[in-house]
Amino acid sequence: MGSAGKYAVIDPATGKLDRSIFSEQAVYDDEMEKIFGRAWLMIGHESLVPAADDFFHTYMGEDPVILTRDGEGRLHALLNMCRHRGNRVCRVDDGNAKRFMCTYHGWTYRNDGTLEYVPGEVEAYYGALDKPSLGLIQARVETYAGIVFATWAKDAPSLEAFLGDARWYLDTVFNRRDGGMQALGPMKWLEPVNWKTLVDNCSDNYHVPTSHLSSARVQTRFLGRPKLSHEDQFASPNKHAFVNGHSITFRDADDNMPRYVHGVSTDTMRLFQEYHEATMPEVERRLGTFRARRVQLGNHSIFPNGILGLRLALPRGPLKTEFWHFVLVERDAPEELKRVIRIGSQANNGAAGMFEQDDVDNWRQVTEASTRRAGRRHPQDLSMGLGHAGRHPDYPGLVSERYISENNQRLFYRRWEEFMNAESWADIPLDPVRGQFDGTATMRG
Ligand code: FES
Ligand SMILES: [Fe+2]
C-alpha cells in the first residue's frame, strides 16, 4: 500500500499483488465506504417482488435493505433502519406488506419509505416532529433485464453506463427471451473468506482442471460430460474480456450447441437441444445473429460483488463472506428444463455443490495466507499473460489473447484501486460503449 491514503496494491508491470487487502480491517472499512457505498450493487431480481406491495429483504454491503414494490408498481431500496433509534423495521426475508412498523416504539412507514404514523405525534412531540424528513433512507434503484441494482451514490452514472460493454456479453445469458428470467432462491451460507477471493476466481479458469479434477471426473463418468484438461484450455478459442471492473469470460460458441451448462448430461441433452433450437429465432431477433449464435457468456463477475449469474458475495468483515446463491431460469422455459437446471446448479454450485466445495477451500486458504506473519510479506503473483490483451475487432472490452490468462485479475485489482483512491465518481473512469448491440433487447429486458 502506498502513502497518504493512496492504495497501490497491484503492480501493473509485474502483476504482484499486496496480500494485506485480504485481511486488514482498515482496508475493509475503506472498502465499505468507497466501493460498497458508491458502486451499483446487485440486490435482487424483479421476479422476487412480482406483485404490488411485495418485498424482499437483501443487503448493500453490510447494510440491510428492503427491496419493495409499492402500490404503483415502483421499486424502492429502503435502508432497514428506523429513523428514530435505528431498529430494523422488517425482520423477515420476504412477504407482502403496505407498511413496516418498528417494534421498538411503533413508528410506521409506508412501503415507499414515507414515515406515516408516529405514536404520540401530537401529545408527546407537540406536533413538532418533522415527519417528511424522517422517511426510510432510500438508495437509487435501476434494473437490467430484471436484475435489480441499487447505489447510495447520488453522483453515480446510470446503471447502463456502469455496465457499459459488459452488457454486450451479459445479454447472452440474461436477456435472451421476451419473457425474461425468474430467480429461485436464495440459498445462503457463510464462508471464512475475504469477499474479493470469490470475485477474482470468476475469471480464473486456470484452476478448473486441477481444483475440480475429482468433481469433473464424477461428471464425466456419470453424466457423460467431456473430460477437462489443461491442453484443451490452452488451445481454446474462448477468451476473457474486461469492462469497467466487470470480469467476463466467454465462449466462442458453437452455433448448434445448447447454452446452458448446469444440468446438461447425456440423459438431458435432448431437452436442452430442443429448447435451444426452438428459441433460437427469438434469441436472434433479440441479440442479433452474431451474439445469438456465436457468443456465450461463461464465468463472470459484476463489480464489485456479483458473481456467476445472480450470486452475491456479501462482505461480513475482512475474513468472512455471506454467500447468496440464486438460480436464474428463463421464465417461459419448459418446467422440466427448469427443474433440471435448478438441480444441476445446486449440484455444482449450491452449498453442497461439488465444485463450490472445491472452490471455498481455495478461497479460505488464499484469505488465511494474508493473515500470517511470514506469508503476508510476499505478494501474490498475477503475472500470467502480461502484455497479451488488447482491443479486438469483434469483441468489446479489453480482450485477452488466450482463454487462460490473469488479465482480468490484474484489472479487477486496478479497478479496486480506482474506487479506493477516488474522492467521488468524477475520479472513476468509464469506458465508452463500443459494442454493436444488434437486436431488440434493451436494458429493460
Ligand atoms: S426505534 Fe423505531 S420507533 Fe423507536
Ligand atoms: Fe472453481
Side-chain angles (χ1 to χ4, degrees), residues 18-289:
D18 184 339
R19 289 185 197 278
S20 64
I21 62 168
F22 297 109
S23 57
E24 281 187 8
Q25 185 67 45
V27 173
Y28 177 84
D29 293 344
D30 244 8
E31 287 175 336
M32 292 305 103
E33 200 58 51
K34 293 179 173 159
I35 295 179
F36 288 88
R38 194 176 261 169
W40 282 101
L41 304 169
M42 280 164 80
I43 61 165
H45 195 271
E46 288 207 61
S47 63
L48 299 165
V49 286
D53 304 321
D54 279 350
F55 69 89
F56 172 76
H57 194 272
T58 181
Y59 289 89
M60 293 173 68
E62 293 200 19
D63 283 302
V65 165
I66 321 164
L67 169 63
T68 65
R69 191 183 288 280
D70 70 20
E72 262 92 70
R74 291 170 309 208
L75 296 174
H76 302 267
L78 307 172
L79 184 63
N80 187 6
M81 184 194 78
C82 179
R83 294 298 303 282
H84 183 213
R85 303 277 181 82
N87 280 38
R88 291 194 187 209
V89 299
C90 171
R91 296 171 182 235
V92 294
D93 288 339
D94 53 40
N96 183 280
K98 288 186 168 49
R99 295 178 187 80
F100 299 97
M101 187 194 79
C102 176
T103 53
Y104 196 172
H105 310 95
W107 287 25
T108 301
Y109 302 85
R110 286 210 296 266
N111 61 10
D112 64 2
T114 312
L115 175 57
E116 185 176 73
Y117 173 72
V118 172
E121 187 183 347
V122 174
E123 303 86 335
Y125 284 99
Y126 300 92
L129 189 69
D130 184 15
K131 265 171 60 197
S133 73
L134 290 168
L136 295 174
I137 301 296
Q138 306 216 21
R140 275 172 69 190
V141 176
E142 288 187 25
T143 62
Y144 159 61
I147 304 173
V148 184
F149 289 74
T151 178
W152 297 117
K154 294 197 168 40
D155 63 342
S158 66
L159 176 62
E160 186 168 5
F162 177 79
L163 293 175
D165 276 330
R167 188 163 63 88
W168 191 86
Y169 299 98
L170 298 172
D171 277 351
T172 67
V173 163
F174 299 113
N175 219 351
R176 288 164 31 93
R177 300 290 316 274
D178 292 337
M181 299 192 92
Q182 174 187 1
L184 311 173
M187 190 184 272
K188 306 173 183 178
W189 63 90
L190 287 170
E191 300 180 351
V193 307
N194 181 272
W195 66 274
K196 296 184 289 301
T197 61
L198 295 66
V199 181
D200 103 22
N201 183 241
C202 285
S203 37
D204 180 329
N205 293 315
Y206 185 42
H207 77 285
V208 176
T210 308
S211 289
H212 299 306
L213 180 66
S214 57
S215 304
R217 284 212 175 140
V218 169
Q219 290 199 332
T220 302
R221 198 145 144 204
F222 295 101
L223 304 180
R225 301 286 307 275
K227 281 190 175 150
L228 284 181
S229 76
H230 277 117
E231 290 67 33
D232 290 349
Q233 287 197 319
F234 300 144
S236 169
N238 301 340
K239 298 203 177 337
H240 287 195
F242 192 87
V243 184
N244 291 345
H246 316 303
S247 298
I248 304 291
T249 73
F250 65 98
R251 289 179 56 204
D252 175 3
D254 183 326
D255 218 359
N256 295 314
M257 279 294 288
R259 294 301 192 250
Y260 281 112
V261 178
H262 293 318
V264 172
S265 70
T266 35
D267 290 345
T268 61
M269 186 50 134
R270 194 182 45 79
L271 211 54
F272 283 87
Q273 190 73 45
E274 283 171 4
Y275 183 67
H276 180 67
E277 284 163 17
T279 55
M280 184 45 80
E282 178 183 328
V283 178
E284 208 165 347
R285 166 171 58 74
R286 291 179 57 80
L287 304 183
T289 302

